[in-house]
Amino acid sequence: MKRIVTSTMRMGKEAIAQMKTAGHSSNTSKTRNGIRIRHLAFGLAGLVVTIMTMGGCGSDSESKSMEQLYAENGVPVKTRIIRETDFSSEAAFHAVLTGIRESSAYAMVSDKIDHIDYQVGDFVEKDDIVMAFPTDNPSAQYYQAQVAFENAKATFDRMRSYYDTGGLSRQDYENAEAAYRVAEANWDAVRQSVMVKAPISGVLTRINARQSENVHEDDELFAVSQIDRLKARIWVSDKQIMDVKVGQRATARWDGVMLEGSVVQVDMSMNRDRQAFGVVIEFDNPDRSVRCGVTATISIEIYRNPAAVTIERKNIISDRDSRYVFVADSGVARRRPVVLGHAGELEVEILSGLSVGDELITEGQMHLEDGMKIRLISLDGTSTSNRP
């Protein structure tokens, strides 16, 4: 149309030029040519107006044709049939994993390490000697305690034989026994300060000293953990704590490894410093693939419905305080208000408004109104017949 208007305008200019040229002709021919040229100019002007008017009418015609197309054939949409699904909702936290039981041994004397009999990763039984200090340490008084114990034991054995034959009073016998028990306790304490034992059975998870290295009293020497099971303490807000219960399924993920576990303890009072409730979770670690002290992502399954109706969030339309979806019903779209339940990462549970077997509109719903005619589109983009 642009080319037509341009051509018409050019013709109009030529007509005006001819009118100017006609002014130099004779009066008679001037009159005849002027009338003819004026008629030509008016005709061209009318043609331009007509063309522009037709162009405007064409735009309205196209808009009306699209509305008529939707009215006649329906708005193109895609759908899916609602079915029951196993739905769960999880809450995620981050926490440090430790052994189900963990205990450390500390130095009772200040001295150098004489020898270490195990390495990190070794399994030790309770009371196995892991490392030792020199026995000639003056502060330990190892040999003095040993002599005092041996002397008290010999005295007690002698007094017991006298008491059995009636040659010793009961009071003297009990005094000898008490002295022996005290000497035995002192000897055990001295030996434990020099010969450092494993406090529990488990795996040596860390050793903080090296052979011939000087350590100070109360320094941590090593730690033993039972890591076939791990535990974590998480902190839950007051808004979430009512959803967390003992026995709920939980998982721990670290470095591509996932451990299965469950909630074993839920505190009933809030920690003042944390302003949250403590929750303890235990996990199986049969291959000992996850080490103590790592920070893992903890997920607790706070809700589960094995026969839930769920839809993706994108299919829910918000209208002020209401939520609704569209379903296909005998070739038309029907608006359905819905009540939402628990939410997952992508899907939301529908408590009411949708039923198993309903045909949910999943694409094209933003262009719909209640009762509008629809046309189903298959996965390859072609139209399909409307379901009855």
Side-chain angles (χ1 to χ4, degrees), residues 125-193:
E125 296 286 353
K126 184 180 183 301
D127 293 332
D128 282 349
I129 297 174
V130 177
M131 62 178 63
F133 291 94
T135 56
D136 58 358
N137 186 313
S139 63
Q141 297 186 341
Y142 180 86
Y143 292 109
Q144 294 92 323
Q146 181 181 17
V147 170
F149 167 71
E150 292 174 350
N151 182 56
K153 183 177 184 304
T155 301
F156 175 65
D157 290 341
R158 187 167 56 253
M159 293 297 186
R160 183 168 52 189
S161 63
Y162 291 156
Y163 177 74
D164 291 340
T165 58
L168 186 68
S169 68
R170 183 174 183 83
Q171 181 65 47
D172 290 338
Y173 171 77
E174 290 177 350
N175 290 339
E177 183 180 18
Y180 165 67
R181 299 303 179 192
V182 170
E184 182 181 37
N186 290 336
W187 172 231
D188 286 341
V190 169
R191 283 189 299 175
Q192 289 180 26
S193 67

Side-chain angles (χ1 to χ4, degrees), residues 74 328-333 371-375 386-388:
D329 183 14
S330 300
V332 298
M372 289 185 68
K373 188 175 182 178
I374 57 175
R375 174 165 48 93
N386 289 325
R387 292 186 177 91

